[in-house]
């Protein structure tokens, strides 16, 4: 078995069988790709392969779509056909982004139809009596961003009007707290906390709202976006916890006994938002806060055989590698600080984190923080996409070779772990590290085939030296 945990799905093949295919005659049809190159003993996928895999992902995701009264929505997973989500993390909002990228690469009418059908359902949902959180991934911000993207794609202002409405609903659910505003919600993940608390982080809380409000202000989406972003940022500064070296943030206020320092729930995400606030306002306080967050992250780095890694939190030797708690997320803070300050020391920290990732053997070696998850949030697609962004934005030949090589290895790992049925491709994964036996074939962008397809589309463009069609998200400095 190639997976680290026993599953009820047979793998396509073992790693030894997979690499044994590259003797020069091409790849078995089991993989659903046509050919590969072999350079210096390392198997490499071609641009044609990658584009075909992205299309296979869409072919499978399309089998999971269901009509609604207002349009259409995708099922959450193959195993839960009656469960649907509208948010960016699991649901239609994120999947629409994948379709927009596909259409930008290959303007097929079918892709356009799916975008508009899903956007109509998303718009109706947003206009309804919906109560969602402030976080980017699971709440209103991701939906507002996608509705704006569809409006620009289609030229139909009803989606832009819907996005403005969503931002107004987001702020209507906030309340004045301290020096700004915040959102009181049920604490996610932990059942022992019964009372609502203020959510501060990127994925679930105020930081995610703030990042998206910065984007909205810069792009003229809502006239009050800058004012609202300042209110969010000033409250977050107030609740930061001063440490011996720098500042950290808990996921909630009052704090719970769970300190995760990286991008999704901690200082990595807050620091990134503060850097964006400096870009928006020119207020040095925000940049100082961002640098303080970076200093805290550097103070808890753990040396690896080469490079460093920032621990997941609580356990010094538990290291995630992808977007949520790893270099692929937290590195975005250091990348942006380099851009804003011109100080190369931040870039050096970013590269050191990636050296740490490579030193633990990713993507082939799986571990406690890099388990049977292939997705954008926690797994292979997140690592691969980040490596491609670093490749796209580097002028250093050695760095470009290193990061493109990593992305190629991620692609091969994903191919090996996939399930192919005729012209359809999907992945059975364990979304949660703590529940390795709970396996699902998911459709979403942050968890599932849409996000994996986005990575393969990105790689296909890189390999043909074409401009990226990756859509730049509010929580990322990269993309078109």
């Amino acid at each position: 078995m190639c997976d680290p945990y026993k599953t009820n799905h047979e793998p396509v093949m073992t790693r030894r069988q997979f690499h044994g295919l590259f003797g020069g005659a091409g790849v078995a049809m089991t993989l659903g790709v046509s050919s590969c190159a072999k350079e210096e003993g390392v198997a490499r996928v071609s641009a044609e392969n990658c584009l075909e895999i992205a299309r296979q992902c869409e072919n499978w995701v399309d089998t999971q779509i269901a009509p609604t009264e207002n349009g259409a929505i995708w099922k959450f997973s193959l195993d839960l056909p009656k469960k649907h989500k509208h948010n960016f993390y699991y649901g239609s909002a994120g999947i629409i982004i994948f379709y927009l990228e596909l259409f930008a690469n290959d303007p097929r009418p079918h892709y356009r139809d799916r975008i508009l059908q899903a956007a109509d359902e998303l718009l109706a949902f947003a206009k309804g009596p919906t109560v969602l959180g402030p976080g980017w991934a699971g709440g209103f911000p991701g939906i507002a961003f996608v509705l704006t993207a569809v409006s620009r794609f289609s030229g139909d202002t009803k989606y832009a009007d819907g996005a403005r409405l969503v931002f107004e609903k987001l702020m209507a659910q906030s309340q004045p707290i301290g020096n700004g505003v915040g959102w009181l919600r049920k604490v996610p993940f932990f059942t022992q906390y019964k009372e609502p608390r203020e959510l501060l982080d990127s994925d679930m809380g105020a930081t995610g709202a703030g990042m998206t409000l910065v984007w909205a202000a810069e792009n003229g989406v809502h006239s009050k976006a800058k004012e609202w972003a300042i209110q969010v940022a000033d409250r977050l500064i107030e609740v930061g916890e001063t440490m011996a070296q720098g500042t950290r943030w808990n996921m909630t206020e009052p704090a719970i006994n769970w300190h995760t320092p990286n991008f999704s729930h901690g200082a990595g995400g807050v620091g990134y938002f503060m850097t964006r606030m400096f870009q928006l306002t020119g207020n040095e306080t925000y940049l100082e806060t961002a640098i303080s967050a970076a200093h805290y992250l550097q103070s808890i780095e753990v040396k690896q055989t080469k490079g460093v890694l920032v621990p997941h939190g609580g356990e010094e030797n538990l290291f995630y590698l992808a977007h949520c708690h790893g270099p692929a997320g937290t590195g975005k803070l250091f990348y942006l600080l380099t851009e804003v300050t011109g100080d190369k020391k931040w870039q050096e920290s970013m590269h050191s984190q990636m050296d740490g990732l490579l030193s633990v053997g990713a993507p082939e070696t799986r571990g406690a923080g890099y388990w049977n998850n292939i997705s954008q949030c926690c797994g292979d697609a997140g690592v691969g996409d980040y490596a491609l962004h670093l490749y796209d934005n580097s002028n250093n030949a050695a760095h470009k070779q290193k990061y493109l090589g990593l992305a190629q290895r991620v692609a091969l790992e994903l191919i090996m772990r996939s399930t192919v049925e005729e012209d359809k491709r999907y992945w059975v994964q364990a979304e949660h590290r703590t529940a390795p036996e709970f396996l699902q074939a998911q459709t979403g962008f942050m968890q599932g085939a849409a996000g994996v397809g986005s990575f393969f589309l990105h790689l296909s463009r890189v390999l043909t030296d074409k401009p990226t069609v990756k859509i730049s998200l509010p929580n990322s400095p990269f993309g078109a």
Side-chain angles (χ1 to χ4, degrees):
M1 297 289 289
C2 62
D3 295 340
Y5 306 109
K6 183 178 180 180
T7 75
N8 56 355
H9 293 261
E10 289 298 319
V12 174
M13 60 187 66
T14 66
R15 185 172 284 108
R16 177 176 295 178
Q17 290 170 331
F18 177 78
H19 289 286
L21 291 171
F22 297 97
V27 182
M29 289 304 294
T30 310
L31 291 175
V33 297
S34 58
S35 64
C36 286
K38 186 179 182 183
E39 298 177 13
E40 299 178 357
V42 179
R44 298 179 185 276
V45 294
S46 70
E48 181 183 24
N49 300 150
C50 293
L51 180 56
E52 181 59 26
I53 292 170
R55 289 169 175 161
Q56 290 171 344
C57 291
E58 189 280 326
N59 290 343
W60 181 76
V61 169
D62 195 53
T63 66
Q64 304 303 306
I65 201 165
T68 68
E69 180 180 347
N70 300 295
I73 191 169
W74 287 277
K75 302 169 188 176
F76 174 85
S77 73
L78 182 64
D79 308 279
L80 297 170
K82 294 184 179 181
K83 185 175 181 180
H84 307 87
K85 294 280 187 179
H86 292 83
N87 64 31
F88 189 91
Y89 193 82
Y90 292 116
S92 288
I95 297 174
I96 287 170
I97 291 296
F98 173 46
Y99 274 81
L100 287 168
E101 292 172 350
L102 277 172
F103 187 88
N105 181 77
D106 182 8
R108 298 184 180 189
H110 164 70
Y111 298 155
R112 179 183 178 87
D113 291 345
R114 287 294 186 250
I115 291 165
L116 298 181
Q117 290 164 359
D120 285 345
E121 168 59 28
L122 191 64
L123 179 61
F125 173 79
K127 288 181 174 179
T130 307
V131 177
L132 290 178
W136 156 254
F140 277 133
I143 290 174
F145 172 78
V146 172
L147 287 174
T148 305
V150 174
S151 179
R152 293 174 177 178
F153 164 76
S154 66
D156 194 329
T157 59
K158 71 179 182 181
Y159 302 114
D161 294 340
R164 284 191 291 272
L165 173 64
V166 170
F167 277 120
E168 289 162 6
K169 292 176 74 170
L170 168 71
M171 298 310 297
Q173 291 177 13
S174 70
Q175 55 187 278
I177 308 176
N179 291 336
V181 299
W183 288 262
L184 296 179
R185 302 279 293 175
K186 182 180 178 182
V187 177
F189 312 136
F190 299 97
T191 58
Q192 66 265 41
Y193 300 105
K194 305 299 182 184
E195 297 299 320
R197 300 192 183 206
E198 189 180 356
L199 299 187
L200 308 177
D201 66 330
S202 170
D203 277 15
M204 304 288 185
T207 298
M211 290 176 182
T212 315
L213 287 167
V214 171
W215 165 85
E218 290 176 337
N219 288 275
V221 176
H222 200 291
S223 60
K224 292 187 176 181
K226 181 177 179 180
E227 171 190 336
W228 289 336
I230 290 170
Q231 293 172 352
V232 175
D234 289 352
R235 173 57 180 165
L236 284 168
I237 291 174
E238 184 180 20
V239 296
E241 181 181 1
T242 302
M243 307 299 288
Q245 299 182 56
T247 308
R248 74 175 184 180
W249 285 260
N250 195 269
M251 187 175 70
T252 71
E253 172 64 28
I256 61 173
N257 187 27
W258 193 57
H259 285 280
T260 50
N262 285 287
F263 198 87
S264 285
H265 302 301
V270 178
Y272 181 87
F273 169 45
M274 291 296 165
T275 313
R276 294 287 287 123
M277 283 299 298
F278 172 72
Q279 290 180 305
L280 177 67
T281 67
N283 187 332
E284 293 283 347
T285 299
Y286 298 132
L287 181 58
E288 292 166 4
T289 304
I291 290 173
S292 186
H295 283 157
Y296 168 68
L297 290 163
Q298 289 176 320
S299 75
I300 62 172
E301 290 172 342
V302 179
K303 290 184 178 180
Q304 305 299 307
T305 305
K306 184 178 181 182
V308 300
L309 289 171
V310 177
H312 172 264
E315 299 177 54
E316 184 177 297
N317 291 313
L318 176 59
F319 305 104
Y320 282 40
L321 302 180
H323 162 83
C324 51
H325 303 289
T330 298
K332 293 186 292 187
L333 165 60
F334 292 92
Y335 177 89
L336 192 59
L337 282 174
T338 305
E339 293 290 298
V340 168
T341 68
D343 192 333
K344 297 299 183 183
K345 70 181 181 184
W346 304 120
Q347 185 182 76
E348 291 167 5
S349 288
M350 178 190 74
H351 290 308
S352 183
Q353 291 175 27
M354 287 300 283
D355 286 341
L357 180 152
L358 290 164
S359 75
V360 298
E364 295 84 6
T365 300
R366 316 305 276 200
Y370 197 62
W371 65 100
N372 178 25
N373 184 298
I374 50 76
S375 295
Q376 286 277 351
C377 179
C378 313
D380 298 87
V383 171
D385 244 345
Y386 181 65
L388 289 175
H389 284 309
L390 295 184
Y391 172 89
D392 287 335
N393 291 278
S394 176
N395 294 318
N396 181 293
H399 288 156
K400 291 180 81 72
Q401 182 180 15
K402 176 170 67 175
Y403 295 131
L404 182 56
L406 173 58
Q408 286 272 14
R409 288 163 54 198
V410 167
L412 294 172
E413 189 74 11
L414 283 165
I415 292 170
M416 184 187 66
R417 289 174 172 270
S418 66
T419 299
V420 181
E421 295 175 354
E422 297 178 342
D423 61 346
K424 304 169 186 66
R425 188 182 296 265
Y426 62 93
W427 286 261
V428 177
Q429 68 161 11
E431 177 185 339
H432 305 288
R433 174 181 64 85
T434 56
E437 73 290 343
F438 181 42
L439 300 170
Q440 301 177 87
Q442 292 168 267
T443 57
F445 192 92
M446 296 305 292
Q447 296 287 352
V452 180
S454 178
F455 159 68
F456 274 105
L457 184 57
H458 189 182
L459 182 54
S460 76
R461 302 285 293 193
V462 167
L463 294 175
T464 51
D465 200 27
K466 294 179 180 178
T468 182
V469 294
K470 289 290 290 189
I471 292 174
S472 183
L473 304 179
N475 65 353
S476 175
F478 308 117

